[in-house]
Structure formats: structure tokens, C-alpha cells
Amino acid sequence: MPAEKGRDYVIHKLMELAMKIKGFCGIDFTMNLASLDLKVSRRLNEIGFNLEEYMNYLQTDTNEWDKLVEHITINETYFFREFNQLEEFQNLLKKQSGKYINVWCIPCSTGEEAYSLAILAKEVELSTGNQVRIVASDLNKKVLEHAKRGHYSKNSLSFRRIPENKEYLKKYFIETESGYEVKNEIKQMVSFEPFNLTDFPTYTKYNQIDIIFCRNVLFYFNDEIIKKVIKGFHSILNNDGYLFLGHAESISSFDSKFISVHTKEAFYYKKDIL
């Protein structure tokens, strides 16, 4: 019985932590406490706290949230992921001429997606005259530091989807002994900064955005938060703006004020101004 009570207490504290995380960044572990238990246990082992002590620690040291975020977020990414959508992004750029185009990439993780967008924009820069600037954001400050460095190990999985018959590695990376570093001409197109998608009032810091890439994160949120995120995106996009989500994500069931755009190989959304 004492052991059973002990386990009940742990579940109670895990649920309490899950609610705090949900309130902080929207990620919902309330239906998956086992996953949260595994993730937070790694941090507890690092600092030698039990769960109760850790809950108190989060209240007294706000910087600890950064460390917790490093453990609970998934940073699965690689260059040219879901390439059909990236090609469609490039096609949209080709339809423009001589414009300044602002792109927001969130969550950007260790930077591969943002740099992929920059490379594809650079490929058509001369023919279009467009100047593309990319703001790349993530909640996890540690991965942002990795992204800013722009160096990727040869042994990593970052390069698993480099398109065939393309010389992107040769053109846009500098080979080092241990890996590849993004060239400065691409780095200069991207700025990295922390951002919490559930900090809705701060969306106004981004204005006149033309294209948003927010792929493979909405499914960590509940419907209420998704609606607020999409509303925020709609408010900062230009009238002819576009939104790209992950291939397994959809906002069609929401009254989102976005129009679905379907091509042969990809689908995405356009802002509805009516």
C-alpha cells in the first residue's frame, strides 16, 4: 500500500508538472505522463533532485525552464525535409520579381530547415531579383546556438535528404575535417532568435511576413492553442501570405481564415482576406 500511495503521488506531481508545461509553452503531456516521466527523469538525474524538489526549483529559478525545454522538446530535423513543399516555396518565389520577401521559420530546431529555405531562395535570387530574409525561431535556446554556428557533423543525419543531382553541398557549404559549415552568404540570410508560440501578444513583433513555415509542431498542442496560433499567423501575414504546415497536419477543420492550396506534389495554405 505505501508503494501504491507513493506511485499515486508521483502521478499527481507529474500531472502538476504537465499542466505547468502546458501553460508555459503549450506542449501537452497530460495524456502521456509516461513520456514526461522519462524526459524529466533525465534532468532530475543531472541535478540530483526528486520530483517534488524539482517542482519547487522551477518556481525559484526561472532559468531552469530553459533546461527543462531542452529535455522535453523533440528536435528531429534535417536539410530539405519534405522537399515537395520546399520546391513549392521556391515556385512561389519565382512568381515574384524584385521584392523583399520575409519568411518566418518556426520551430527551426538546429537550423537545417531555415538554411534549406535560404539555399533555395539563393538559387533563384539572380533570376527573380527578390531579396529573401528569414527569421528562424525556436523555444529551445540550446538548439538555436547550434543553428547559429551552422556546422553539421558528417556522421549526423542532417544530410540524409540532400536532393539527387544537386550540388548544394559544394555550392553552399565549406567542408571541414568533421563536417560541413554553412557558407556566410547563406548565414547572412537567416537570423535566429528564441520565441514561444504560446506567447500570443508578442506575435506583433513580426509584421509584414510573406511566408510562414511552421511544420510538425501543432500536433503537440490542443485545439484551443492551435486556434490561437493560427489566428496569430493570420494577423501577421501579408494579404497574399502563405502558411506551410507539416504533411500530417491540417487546419481545415478549423475556421482558420486560410484557403487550402493543392498542387500535384504538395499542399499548403493561403491567407483568406475576405
Side-chain angles (χ1 to χ4, degrees), residues 40-228:
V40 76
S41 291
R42 297 168 185 161
R43 181 58 181 160
L44 296 181
N45 291 334
E46 287 178 357
I47 58 179
F49 284 174
N50 61 36
L51 190 55
E52 182 175 8
E53 291 169 336
Y54 189 63
M55 295 288 288
N56 293 329
Y57 185 46
L58 282 172
Q59 292 181 327
T60 59
D61 187 349
T62 55
N63 292 327
E64 177 57 26
W65 278 101
D66 291 339
K67 291 295 183 181
L68 179 57
V69 163
E70 292 174 13
H71 286 76
I72 64 174
T73 52
I74 298 175
N75 300 294
E76 169 71 12
T77 187
Y78 45 88
F79 286 101
F80 303 105
R81 186 180 186 182
E82 298 178 23
F83 188 62
N84 290 341
Q85 284 191 331
L86 301 187
E87 283 187 309
E88 190 59 30
F89 161 74
Q90 193 176 55
N91 289 336
L92 290 175
L93 297 183
K94 292 177 181 177
K95 296 176 182 179
Q96 307 293 323
S97 178
K99 292 188 176 182
Y100 290 92
I101 297 176
N102 296 312
V103 180
W104 189 20
C105 175
I106 183 171
C108 67
S109 187
T110 44
E112 288 92 331
E113 179 171 89
Y115 288 134
S116 297
L117 295 172
I119 288 170
L120 293 175
K122 179 63 72 173
E123 284 282 291
V124 298
E125 184 179 73
L126 287 178
S127 62
T128 64
N130 296 323
Q131 295 188 38
V132 177
R133 299 296 301 172
I134 300 166
V135 178
S137 308
D138 202 285
L139 180 67
N140 186 328
K141 295 178 182 178
K142 183 176 181 179
V143 297
L144 287 175
E145 290 305 312
H146 184 167
K148 290 175 184 178
R149 290 192 297 271
H151 186 275
Y152 302 90
S153 169
K154 292 179 180 179
N155 296 325
S156 76
L157 296 176
S158 295
F159 301 101
R160 74 183 92 167
R161 288 291 186 272
I162 295 291
E164 295 181 8
N165 304 319
K166 301 291 184 181
E167 296 187 341
Y168 293 150
L169 275 178
K170 184 183 298 184
K171 291 176 65 176
Y172 299 112
F173 293 83
I174 299 171
E175 186 173 3
T176 67
E177 183 176 341
S178 59
Y180 296 93
E181 182 172 346
V182 179
K183 287 186 176 180
N184 284 336
E185 64 176 321
I186 299 301
K187 285 184 179 180
Q188 290 169 0
M189 297 173 66
V190 186
S191 59
F192 293 97
E193 57 186 51
F195 191 85
N196 184 338
L197 269 173
T198 62
D199 192 0
F200 302 111
T202 59
Y203 277 53
T204 55
K205 68 182 288 188
Y206 301 107
N207 53 28
Q208 297 185 328
I209 298 294
D210 298 291
I211 301 173
I212 296 175
F213 272 80
C214 182
R215 303 197 296 177
N216 306 307
V217 68
L218 292 186
F219 47 66
Y220 293 109
F221 300 151
N222 62 27
D223 287 353
E224 179 183 1
I225 293 176
I226 292 173
K227 290 177 183 178
K228 290 180 179 180

